[in-house]
Amino acid sequence: MERNLQAVDEIIDQWGAKPESLLQIMLDVNHHFNYLPRESIERISKRLRMPISQVYSVATFFKVFSLKPRGRTIVHVCTGTACHVRGAPKILDRVKQDLGLNPGETTEDMALTLETVNCVGACASAPVVVVGGETYSEMTPNKMAEIIKAIKAQKAA
Amino acid sequence: MERLKSIQDLDGLRQRIIEKRKELRKRIRVCTGTGCHSQGSRRLVDAFQQELESRGLTREYMVIPTGCNGFCACGPIVVIEPEEVFYQRVKPEQVRAIVERSVVGDEIIEELLYVDPTTGERIVHEFEIPFFAKQKRLVFKDTGSNYVTDIEDYIARGGYSALAKVLSGMKPEEVIDEVKRSGLRGRGGGGFPTGVKWESCRRAHGDIKYVMCNADEGDPGAYMDRSLLEGNPHQVLEGMIIGAYAIGAVEGYIYVRFEYPMAVKNAEWAIKQAKDYGLLGENIMGTPFGLDMHVNRGGGAFICGESTALMASLEGKVGEPRGKHIHTVEKGLWGRPSNLNNVETWANVPLIINNGGDWYASMGTERSKGTKIFSLVGKINNTGLVEVAMGTPLRTIIYDIGGGIPEGKRFKAVQTGGPSGGCIPERLIDLPVDFEKLKEAGSMMGSGGMIVMDEATCMVDVARYFLNFLVEESCGKCIPCRVGVKRMHELVTDMCEGRARPGDLERLEELCHAIQETALCGLGKSAPNPVLSTIQYFRDEYEAHIYDKRCPAKICKALITYVIDPDKCTGCGLCRIKCPEGAVIGAKKECHCIDEELCVRCGICMENCKFGAIYIE
């Protein structure tokens, strides 16, 4: 963890160890590790001279943060209104069924995490799914099943 | 690059930029807005660049990655200037032909043109397409033609001339008067008069004041703020600098959702460029006025679009709102006077200064002035961003601009105002859209999302969707919102899943009124809106769910079954092969049937059936 904390320190130095940088620091740390390790939260609390409870309250308040390690690829199913009326619930059901995951859960081999997002602002191509940062537009349950098949095949290879 | 040392320098710079561009024969605009981007438009930009380079044509022709064009349904979009030839759904393999025939040559490639669905006619030019022709694009005018990473493009178009006008002699009070005269009201949802807000902030006591831009566009289904900030960040920035001058602010913040990485990047880049050119930082254009600007990312909480919650989050705290007996214009960030406006509001400011408040006030209705950008999405043909004058009837937006409902289905309702808004039914289709009229109809303007719903949308399910959203997004500070909305969600879920009992609808209505009256902030107070407006206009649908255990739109899973029509089934077996649950039974060439117990109602069988033999009962 020692080396990892160095990364945390670098992020803190970049934003400055002041309270208004808290969210920005946590976003970068969350991005760096793909979640917020306990040690990093302790470090942020110490360096920003802020009660650890405050850091935790921010960490649990915002949707972007995860306190558990997440998979290497994150499947984001958009559940915005535009996606909803064009059939997002069916897409989400398909992913849940095929991966055996509920939103927020990760496969045992740490390959995939399923998450929902309230809107990615790509409403014109609804329903959309973002897999590992790549946006797939105009999804259908069928297309979703194909994508998951492809991910699983990739994993096996 | 050169730093502007005086206000007069701006004109000189503009002339030189225009002079430099005279060599250019054509500009190829490639939309890199969200819609086109998700369809791979970035690859198009590279392909055009490569093609031009390999032919040695980069001096005369230029590829421009632009902000959102607005007509997202046609993406990826390529427009060739100066004629404005409009090509839709362009693929990288077509780039060579486009360069050869339409860029170097003056030929039109027929098969890439937009086809008018009503007349079947192919339309060559962008401005002739009904989607664009019926709009009144002012704020959003340049987003689709703006070179997003080039401040010179914005300056060449007359950018920062409003700032120059303000700094070359207007007193802060005069700027505020101009904005007040324009009648501009906050575009983030509240609709509070912008000039009045600025005036209160100017009058508030305090040495340090802040200007802020709310780009935490949390309303699902709305993406105009994202597109503006991504596609034309300097217009927003210019508005903020003018506002800061009027208010007397020394520091500014742009609060953007982390889900919009490109908006964050482009805003940061715009700030840096503006600083390099002396349009931001100390001594702006050689005057004593200075302003510093930062970009802050949000953490994906809907409530952070609320002013007090946003400021709490900026201070490094949990994004919880507080009671507003003291307004943020007096005590906001760090207890100092803070003026928060939304992206679109700021983007309106340069136009008002350049053309005058009276010009602006000549558009729109009595109390809602100017234009408004709407994101027209859902079950509509021409999805995209549209800008119309306030007071434009819903019919014009949905049918003339939006091109009506796909697959010949019937229009049912349009949802406006996000999770705090409501659904407007078909019989109000001639409603002129402005702040007041939407409120009278039981909805609200919100940030401008318009989600169109057709007959295959279940209104009870829509209400449940919004309640689910609000349960997740409630910050939990006050009981009416934390507990009340959850109870509402349970009641509506029972309806959708066939467990509702008589009397539930009345209980739900009672709860709605109690929450409206007692919740702490706007989120809680408006949380019952989606439920109340759907009950008001679609009470029969609720009753069908409760008393008949039936979902008229055939959406609620617990109340429907998939059935195979024996007359149409050919026994091809495709549904059996595709069904992930093994719920379809039947021998080859014989009629199949669906095992209700195993079926999870995913609809894959129906999607695959080539004979239309599967239907929902």
Side-chain angles (χ1 to χ4, degrees):
Chain A
M1 204 60 211
E2 199 46 45
R3 214 182 92 235
N4 288 345
L5 281 177
Q6 204 184 327
V8 177
D9 279 334
E10 276 166 22
I11 291 168
I12 296 174
D13 291 338
Q14 189 203 325
W15 289 102
K18 38 188 193 203
E20 63 260 45
S21 308
L22 179 67
L23 188 55
Q24 308 308 309
I25 293 169
M26 288 170 72
L27 281 167
D28 285 352
V29 172
N30 190 62
H31 182 76
H32 183 88
F33 296 104
N34 224 351
Y35 78 112
L36 289 174
R38 191 193 160 84
E39 295 81 358
S40 73
I41 290 184
E42 284 164 356
R43 187 64 151 221
I44 293 170
S45 151
K46 209 168 131 194
R47 294 259 337 251
L48 267 63
R49 295 187 189 170
M50 200 179 252
I52 198 159
S53 62
Q54 191 176 341
V55 185
Y56 262 108
S57 68
V58 171
T60 51
F61 183 84
F62 289 103
K63 211 175 171 176
V64 50
F65 299 121
S66 172
L67 295 175
K68 287 182 299 193
R70 292 188 293 182
R72 291 182 292 277
T73 307
I74 299 174
V75 180
H76 276 117
V77 179
C78 180
T79 54
T81 325
C83 290
H84 182 86
V85 302
R86 283 206 191 171
K90 279 185 178 170
I91 314 283
L92 183 61
D93 283 350
R94 196 65 263 144
V95 190
K96 276 163 54 178
Q97 206 86 19
D98 284 353
L99 292 177
L101 295 178
N102 277 316
E105 290 177 356
T106 305
T107 49
E108 258 173 48
D109 58 359
M110 296 305 289
L112 282 172
T113 298
L114 172 62
E115 283 184 2
T116 60
V117 55
N118 281 334
C119 185
V120 292
C123 316
S125 350
V128 297
V129 174
V130 184
V131 181
E134 184 90 20
T135 311
Y136 293 86
S137 49
E138 287 163 23
M139 293 300 294
T140 62
N142 221 4
K143 271 162 109 178
M144 194 68 239
E146 298 294 327
I147 290 175
I148 291 175
K149 229 187 260 172
I151 297 173
K152 280 186 175 165
Q154 217 174 28
K155 216 166 61 181
Chain B
M1 193 270 295
E2 55 180 327
R3 203 182 153 79
L4 301 172
K5 293 195 188 67
S6 75
I7 297 164
Q8 292 73 32
D9 281 0
L10 183 68
D11 277 334
L13 173 66
R14 180 171 304 127
Q15 288 313 321
R16 282 195 296 283
I17 297 168
I18 294 170
E19 198 59 37
K20 206 163 62 187
R21 293 189 174 190
K22 279 202 175 139
E23 287 174 18
L24 222 53
R25 288 187 54 202
K26 280 182 189 176
R27 296 185 357 143
I28 309 159
R29 273 159 40 192
V30 181
C31 175
T32 54
T34 356
C36 292
H37 192 264
S38 71
Q39 313 256 22
S41 69
R42 208 59 237 189
R43 286 199 298 276
L44 280 180
V45 177
D46 295 341
F48 271 113
Q49 190 62 35
Q50 257 173 20
E51 189 64 32
L52 290 181
E53 270 167 22
S54 71
R55 290 168 187 253
L57 294 172
T58 44
R59 269 181 80 86
E60 292 162 81
Y61 307 99
M62 189 179 179
V63 196
I64 298 183
T66 71
C68 181
N69 169 288
F71 202 177
C72 309
C74 288
I77 293 167
V78 172
V79 180
I80 300 164
E81 285 182 2
E83 295 90 357
E84 299 198 5
V85 177
F86 184 92
Y87 288 148
Q88 61 161 354
R89 302 218 171 236
V90 179
K91 293 182 192 72
E93 54 270 26
Q94 292 162 324
V95 164
R96 178 181 281 260
I98 294 175
V99 171
E100 178 113 18
R101 293 165 65 186
S102 299
V103 177
V104 181
D106 284 316
E107 222 181 303
I108 304 291
I109 304 173
E110 290 278 327
E111 57 270 26
L112 287 173
L113 293 177
Y114 172 76
V115 184
D116 190 321
T118 45
T119 61
E121 222 180 292
R122 286 182 193 276
I123 300 176
V124 179
H125 301 112
E126 184 176 28
F127 49 86
E128 293 167 336
I129 296 171
F131 176 82
F132 296 102
K134 298 267 168 71
Q135 293 187 47
K136 193 172 179 65
R137 284 196 169 187
L138 299 172
V139 182
F140 202 58
K141 183 170 155 261
D142 291 336
T143 311
S145 47
N146 192 41
Y147 191 163
V148 285
T149 47
D150 186 5
I151 189 175
E152 292 199 348
D153 211 52
Y154 183 67
I155 293 175
R157 226 184 288 278
Y160 286 106
S161 56
L163 179 64
K165 185 175 171 186
V166 165
L167 292 181
S168 59
M170 281 177 89
K171 288 199 190 86
E173 290 79 9
E174 288 171 346
V175 178
I176 292 174
D177 274 345
E178 204 65 56
V179 176
K180 273 167 85 176
R181 199 169 319 128
S182 73
L184 174 66
R185 292 169 66 181
R187 298 299 195 239
F192 191 80
T194 307
V196 177
K197 196 179 206 175
W198 287 15
E199 193 171 44
S200 320
C201 195
R202 173 155 191 89
R203 285 191 184 150
H205 294 287
D207 303 336
I208 300 175
K209 294 179 183 176
Y210 301 107
V211 279
M212 287 175 207
C213 175
N214 187 349
D216 195 53
E217 188 174 48
D219 280 9
Y223 62 109
M224 68 289 292
D225 289 347
R226 168 187 198 159
S227 297
L228 268 175
L229 195 59
E230 272 180 11
N232 205 354
H234 282 291
Q235 193 177 336
V236 181
L237 211 53
E238 188 181 356
M240 288 183 78
I241 303 169
I242 294 168
Y245 172 78
I247 291 156
V250 291
E251 226 177 317
Y253 289 91
I254 303 177
Y255 190 96
V256 200
R257 304 176 75 195
F258 85 96
E259 286 100 329
Y260 291 175
M262 201 162 19
V264 175
K265 213 174 99 199
N266 290 3
E268 278 171 348
W269 145 87
I271 290 173
K272 193 187 166 293
Q273 277 194 331
K275 276 186 182 158
D276 288 347
Y277 277 79
L279 292 159
L280 201 60
E282 281 171 25
N283 301 103
I284 293 175
M285 290 201 255
T287 65
F289 173 64
L291 179 71
D292 205 9
M293 190 76 77
H294 317 275
V295 177
N296 265 65
R297 290 164 296 166
F302 178 63
I303 186 66
C304 285
E306 203 271 351
S307 59
T308 56
L310 185 148
M311 290 174 202
S313 150
L314 271 179
E315 290 174 9
K317 295 180 196 140
V318 165
E320 279 180 359
R322 62 162 172 82
K324 280 204 234 174
H325 10 272
I326 302 170
H327 291 291
T328 49
V329 285
E330 282 162 28
K331 279 195 162 68
L333 186 65
W334 308 114
R336 293 176 179 140
S338 310
N339 187 90
L340 176 76
N341 282 122
N342 139 290
V343 174
E344 195 184 336
T345 316
W346 286 122
N348 268 289
V349 173
L351 293 171
I352 293 169
I353 298 297
N354 273 330
N355 302 296
D358 292 326
W359 164 82
Y360 194 84
S362 69
M363 292 172 291
T365 58
E366 198 195 333
R367 293 185 56 205
S368 304
K369 302 296 185 191
T371 59
K372 176 80 191 83
I373 309 172
F374 293 101
S375 82
L376 197 56
V377 295
K379 304 276 187 72
I380 184 122
N381 277 317
N382 300 342
T383 48
L385 293 178
V386 303
E387 183 176 355
V388 290
M390 287 277 191
T392 303
L394 213 43
R395 188 188 293 278
T396 310
I397 300 176
I398 290 173
Y399 287 99
D400 298 347
I401 298 171
I405 316 298
E407 296 163 26
K409 289 213 171 95
R410 240 187 65 207
F411 168 69
K412 185 172 190 177
V414 59
Q415 206 279 343
T416 69
S420 312
C423 294
I424 298 162
E426 194 198 3
R427 64 185 155 93
L428 294 180
I429 185 90
D430 288 308
L431 187 87
V433 178
D434 71 4
F435 284 105
E436 280 71 34
K437 288 283 191 278
L438 283 175
K439 204 160 183 195
E440 278 167 34
S443 183
M444 61 183 262
M445 180 74 81
S447 63
M450 272 195 181
I451 297 106
V452 181
M453 298 165 183
D454 65 1
E455 54 190 320
T457 312
C458 171
M459 302 317 279
V460 185
D461 174 65
V462 167
R464 178 174 70 148
Y465 163 77
F466 281 115
L467 288 171
N468 182 42
F469 178 89
L470 291 159
V471 167
E472 271 181 38
E473 294 296 337
S474 170
C475 77
K477 187 170 177 171
C478 74
I479 297 169
C481 180
R482 184 181 67 226
V483 184
V485 177
K486 208 173 169 92
R487 292 291 96 84
M488 277 166 69
H489 181 245
E490 285 166 5
L491 281 169
V492 177
T493 305
D494 280 351
M495 293 173 191
C496 291
E497 294 177 359
R499 290 188 303 267
R501 289 167 298 146
D504 274 2
L505 191 56
E506 290 70 26
R507 263 189 288 280
L508 182 64
E509 281 180 295
E510 197 189 329
L511 195 50
C512 283
H513 296 303
I515 295 171
Q516 268 182 335
E517 280 165 29
T518 51
L520 175 71
C521 79
L523 185 140
K525 280 195 174 79
S526 59
N529 284 358
V531 179
L532 284 174
S533 70
T534 45
I535 295 180
Q536 185 185 348
Y537 298 118
F538 303 96
R539 199 176 184 97
D540 52 335
E541 257 183 66
Y542 278 89
E543 286 167 351
H545 280 77
I546 300 168
Y547 300 104
D548 309 340
K549 307 284 180 232
R550 187 172 63 82
C551 176
K554 297 176 177 158
I555 290 292
C556 296
K557 272 164 69 176
L559 307 176
I560 55 167
T561 39
Y562 281 81
V563 186
I564 298 177
D565 184 346
D567 294 338
K568 287 186 183 163
C569 180
T570 62
C572 72
L574 190 60
C575 56
R576 180 168 37 86
I577 297 162
K578 291 279 181 181
C579 178
E581 304 305 318
V584 184
I585 325 156
K588 199 135 187 95
K589 299 212 169 146
E590 274 173 35
C591 178
H592 286 47
C593 67
I594 297 169
D595 184 335
E596 241 185 84
E597 294 291 307
L598 290 175
C599 176
V600 294
R601 290 148 181 94
C602 68
I604 287 191
C605 53
M606 203 159 129
E607 198 187 322
N608 279 297
C609 181
K610 292 191 177 75
F611 307 98
I614 302 172
Y615 63 97
I616 303 171
E617 213 174 59

